[in-house]
């Protein structure tokens, strides 16, 4: 383009010389035509160069954006971030398509020009190659993003399945725990009932007043009369203070299964063989003086 400008200066100088010295109108017209043609060629060249420069800047910016997206895709995880990246890639691809159309129109103009500019044509072809390369890279990034989305969808499904399994296991564990608790409570109640014994201690008149003693030595140990007795656990009930002087046991406990100890507060009944003591009856009635 410096050559074109230099040519315009030379021809203008020649025109001035001819106009001054010769006055040949035909030569002046021919030179003026050449000047106008060169001006038009320079204008077209400047316009083409402006388009190329603008397109180069767009492509450089697009390349920079693509490189940035390539780095982000490898670390991004959120769905909202992936959607934004996908939208950005679509915008970059649209920009490249616009650049591609612009370069195609410019190439058509250069091809149809009477005087082809080889340097500009080479620049256009280079830019077209870059646009094609970046379009392919955007397609590759979109594919990579889609693969990531598919992997995340599969992992999300697996997590959902695991969470469902965990929820089911937790529900089953809760049911099992509740059943175990109920069974334990039931077993504890049964064990407590099996180990429960009933005893009453008093003088003849006290035992009669409670409805336990009938006549001279008969006792009522029926279930309907349990309210008149105190209760104890036979596994821990090993001795009891009688609160008076021991007279006799009115229920059917073997004599070799217990002993009577004396104390200041009254005699003490000591069970020496729990299994034998409670073997015949779970009731104990002791008469004192």
């Amino acid at each position: 383009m410096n050559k074109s400008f230099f040519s315009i200066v030379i021809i203008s100088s020649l025109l001035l010389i001819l106009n001054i010295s010769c006055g040949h109108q035909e030569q002046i017209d021919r030179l003026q035509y050449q000047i106008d043609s060169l001006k038009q060629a320079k204008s077209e060249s400047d316009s083409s160069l402006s388009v190329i420069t603008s397109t180069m800047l767009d492509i450089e910016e697009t390349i920079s954006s693509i490189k940035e997206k390539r780095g982000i895709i490898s670390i991004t995880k959120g769905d909202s971030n992936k959607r934004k990246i996908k939208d950005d890639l679509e915008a970059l691809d649209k920009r490249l398509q616009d650049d591609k159309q612009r370069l195609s129109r410019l190439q058509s103009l250069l091809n149809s020009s009477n005087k082809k500019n080889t340097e500009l044509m080479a620049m256009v072809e280079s830019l077209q190659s870059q646009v094609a390369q970046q379009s392919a890279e955007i397609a590759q990034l979109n594919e990579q993003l889609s693969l990531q989305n598919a992997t995340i969808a599969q992992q999300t499904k697996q997590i959902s399945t695991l969470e469902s399994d965990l929820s089911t296991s937790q529900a089953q564990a809760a049911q099992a725990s509740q059943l175990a608790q109920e069974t334990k409570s039931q077993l504890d109640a049964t064990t407590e009932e099996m180990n429960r014994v009933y005893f009453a201690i008093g003088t003849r008149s006290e035992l009669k007043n409670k409805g336990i003693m009938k006549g001279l030595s008969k006792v009522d140990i029926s279930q309907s009369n349990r309210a008149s007795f105190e209760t104890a656990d036979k596994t821990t009930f090993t001795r009891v203070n009688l609160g008076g002087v021991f007279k006799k046991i009115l229920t059917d406990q073997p004599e070799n299964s217990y002993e009577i100890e004396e104390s200041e507060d009254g005699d003490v009944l000591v069970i020496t063989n729990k299994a034998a003591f409670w073997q015949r009856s779970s009731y104990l009635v002791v008469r004192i003086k």
Side-chain angles (χ1 to χ4, degrees):
M1 288 192 297
N2 290 332
K3 292 179 179 180
S4 299
F5 181 75
F6 185 67
S7 300
I8 293 173
V9 172
I10 293 175
I11 295 174
S12 298
S13 300
L14 290 174
L15 178 63
L16 181 61
I17 293 171
L18 290 173
N19 190 37
I20 294 174
S21 60
C22 300
H24 295 165
Q25 188 63 38
E26 183 178 349
Q27 292 180 352
I28 292 175
D29 290 342
R30 186 165 52 254
L31 290 174
Q32 185 65 51
Y33 175 77
Q34 292 179 3
I35 290 173
D36 291 340
S37 297
L38 288 171
K39 285 183 177 180
Q40 183 178 356
K42 181 179 181 302
S43 176
E44 291 177 356
S45 178
D46 289 345
S47 176
S48 299
L49 185 60
S50 175
V51 172
I52 291 174
T53 302
S54 174
T55 305
M56 286 179 66
L57 291 175
D58 281 350
I59 292 174
E60 287 177 0
E61 184 180 352
T62 303
I63 291 173
S64 176
S65 299
I66 291 173
K67 289 179 179 178
E68 179 185 350
K69 298 306 174 188
R70 187 191 303 116
I72 293 176
I73 286 176
S74 62
I75 61 173
T76 190
K77 293 182 179 179
D79 289 340
S80 59
N81 291 335
K82 288 183 178 296
R83 282 195 296 270
K84 183 178 184 306
I85 292 175
K86 184 173 178 60
D87 293 341
D88 291 346
L89 288 176
E90 289 177 355
L92 291 174
D93 187 56
K94 184 178 184 304
R95 184 191 298 177
L96 285 174
Q97 296 305 317
D98 292 341
D99 291 339
K100 185 177 181 180
Q101 292 177 3
R102 190 188 312 172
L103 290 172
S104 178
R105 289 195 298 269
L106 180 59
Q107 188 177 39
S108 298
L109 289 174
L110 291 175
N111 287 335
S112 63
S113 175
N114 291 332
K115 296 181 179 179
K116 295 182 180 179
N117 190 315
T118 305
E119 184 179 351
L120 290 182
M121 287 288 290
M123 291 176 66
V124 169
E125 290 175 357
S126 175
L127 290 176
Q128 285 176 328
S129 176
Q130 291 185 51
V131 168
Q133 181 181 352
Q134 299 309 317
S135 293
E137 188 162 354
I138 286 179
Q140 184 179 2
L141 291 176
N142 273 318
E143 183 179 357
Q144 181 182 346
L145 191 62
S146 298
L147 289 174
Q148 266 196 9
N149 287 336
T151 302
I152 290 174
Q154 183 179 4
Q155 291 174 345
T156 301
K157 183 178 179 180
Q158 290 174 347
I159 290 172
S160 178
T161 301
L162 291 175
E163 287 177 344
S164 177
D165 292 344
L166 178 60
S167 178
T168 301
S169 297
Q170 288 175 338
Q172 291 174 346
Q175 291 177 354
S177 176
Q178 182 179 358
L179 180 60
Q181 186 64 36
E182 291 174 354
T183 302
K184 183 179 182 302
S185 299
Q186 199 171 33
L187 182 60
D188 290 345
T190 302
T191 302
E192 183 181 352
E193 179 64 28
M194 290 175 62
N195 292 330
R196 187 179 297 124
V197 291
Y198 305 85
F199 69 95
I201 302 169
T203 62
R204 179 194 295 272
S205 61
E206 288 173 341
L207 294 174
K208 282 187 175 183
N209 289 337
K210 290 181 179 181
I212 296 174
M213 190 171 178
K214 306 289 185 179
L216 295 176
S217 60
K218 186 179 179 181
V219 294
D220 181 5
I221 57 174
S222 62
Q223 186 172 352
S224 61
N225 200 30
R226 281 185 176 178
S228 301
F229 291 84
E230 294 183 62
T231 60
D233 186 338
K234 67 181 179 182
T235 61
T236 58
F237 186 66
T238 58
R239 59 191 296 129
V240 60
N241 194 317
L242 301 178
V245 178
F246 174 76
K247 178 66 177 175
K248 64 182 299 188
I249 291 180
L250 301 178
T251 45
D252 197 13
Q253 271 75 27
E255 292 183 1
N256 62 355
S257 65
Y258 66 92
E259 294 177 352
I260 302 298
E261 296 179 355
E262 294 181 358
S263 73
E264 294 180 358
D265 297 331
D267 291 342
V268 177
L269 173 66
V270 180
I271 300 173
T272 58
N273 188 335
K274 289 186 290 185
F277 189 86
W278 300 108
Q279 184 177 8
R280 297 175 183 174
S281 174
S282 58
Y283 285 83
L284 170 66
V285 179
V286 181
R287 180 185 164 193
I288 61 176
K289 295 180 182 179

